Amino acid sequence: MSQIDPLARPIAPTQSPADTTHPETIRLHGLAENALATALHCLRSVDCDPAKLAKATARAVRAAKLLTRTSQSNQQTGGAA
Protein backbone atom coordinates (compact mmCIF):
# COMPACT_ATOMS: atom_id res chain seq x y z
CA MET A 1 0.00 0.00 0.00
CA SER A 2 1.46 3.39 -0.94
CA GLN A 3 1.45 6.29 1.47
CA ILE A 4 0.54 9.84 0.51
CA ASP A 5 3.20 12.43 1.30
CA PRO A 6 1.42 15.16 3.33
CA LEU A 7 4.05 17.73 2.28
CA ALA A 8 3.74 17.06 -1.46
CA ARG A 9 2.33 19.87 -3.55
CA PRO A 10 -1.01 19.15 -5.19
CA ILE A 11 -1.01 18.45 -8.88
CA ALA A 12 -2.29 21.35 -10.96
CA PRO A 13 -5.63 20.75 -12.64
CA THR A 14 -5.48 19.93 -16.31
CA GLN A 15 -6.53 22.63 -18.70
CA SER A 16 -9.62 21.91 -20.73
CA PRO A 17 -9.64 22.75 -24.46
CA ALA A 18 -12.41 25.29 -23.80
CA ASP A 19 -10.30 27.19 -21.24
CA THR A 20 -9.09 30.45 -22.75
CA THR A 21 -7.45 32.04 -19.71
CA HIS A 22 -5.38 35.01 -20.76
CA PRO A 23 -1.61 34.73 -20.13
CA GLU A 24 -1.57 38.04 -18.22
CA THR A 25 -4.15 36.69 -15.78
CA ILE A 26 -2.04 33.59 -15.23
CA ARG A 27 1.11 35.70 -14.72
CA LEU A 28 -0.56 37.97 -12.16
CA HIS A 29 -2.00 34.96 -10.32
CA GLY A 30 1.47 33.43 -10.06
CA LEU A 31 2.96 36.67 -8.74
CA ALA A 32 0.22 36.91 -6.11
CA GLU A 33 0.77 33.31 -5.06
CA ASN A 34 4.52 33.90 -4.71
CA ALA A 35 3.93 37.03 -2.61
CA LEU A 36 1.64 35.09 -0.28
CA ALA A 37 4.15 32.26 0.00
CA THR A 38 6.87 34.74 0.94
CA ALA A 39 4.61 36.32 3.58
CA LEU A 40 3.86 32.92 5.10
CA HIS A 41 7.54 31.96 5.03
CA CYS A 42 8.42 35.07 7.03
CA LEU A 43 5.61 34.51 9.54
CA ARG A 44 6.46 30.84 10.07
CA SER A 45 10.14 31.39 10.74
CA VAL A 46 11.23 30.62 14.27
CA ASP A 47 12.92 33.99 14.63
CA CYS A 48 10.07 36.16 13.31
CA ASP A 49 11.40 39.54 14.39
CA PRO A 50 9.76 42.94 13.65
CA ALA A 51 11.65 43.23 10.34
CA LYS A 52 10.30 39.89 9.13
CA LEU A 53 6.82 40.84 10.29
CA ALA A 54 7.08 44.07 8.28
CA LYS A 55 8.26 42.12 5.24
CA ALA A 56 5.39 39.65 5.63
CA THR A 57 2.92 42.53 5.85
CA ALA A 58 4.35 44.16 2.73
CA ARG A 59 4.16 40.90 0.79
CA ALA A 60 0.58 40.30 1.89
CA VAL A 61 -0.40 43.81 0.76
CA ARG A 62 1.39 43.20 -2.56
CA ALA A 63 -0.52 39.93 -2.96
CA ALA A 64 -3.83 41.70 -2.35
CA LYS A 65 -3.01 44.31 -4.99
CA LEU A 66 -1.96 41.62 -7.45
CA LEU A 67 -5.17 39.68 -6.82
CA THR A 68 -7.16 42.84 -7.54
CA ARG A 69 -5.25 43.31 -10.81
CA THR A 70 -5.77 39.62 -11.61
CA SER A 71 -9.51 39.99 -11.16
CA GLN A 72 -9.58 43.11 -13.33
CA SER A 73 -7.50 41.41 -16.03
CA ASN A 74 -9.74 38.39 -15.93
CA GLN A 75 -12.87 40.53 -16.37
CA GLN A 76 -11.34 42.48 -19.26
CA THR A 77 -10.33 39.34 -21.13
CA GLY A 78 -13.66 37.62 -20.53
CA GLY A 79 -12.25 34.81 -18.39
CA ALA A 80 -14.23 32.94 -15.79
CA ALA A 81 -14.10 34.39 -12.30
Side-chain angles (χ1 to χ4, degrees), residues 9-74:
R9 296 189 84 170
I11 298 172
T14 57
Q15 186 174 5
S16 73
D19 188 3
T20 57
T21 305
H22 194 270
E24 180 66 3
T25 302
I26 295 170
R27 185 185 75 81
L28 291 169
H29 181 273
L31 291 172
E33 190 171 325
N34 287 342
L36 285 173
T38 302
L40 286 173
H41 177 74
C42 291
L43 290 174
R44 291 177 177 161
S45 66
V46 177
D47 59 339
C48 187
D49 58 6
K52 285 188 180 179
L53 184 59
K55 182 178 179 178
T57 303
R59 293 298 179 208
V61 169
R62 175 173 166 73
K65 290 178 183 178
L66 285 164
L67 287 171
T68 300
R69 287 177 50 199
T70 302
S71 180
Q72 292 168 348
S73 172
N74 201 29

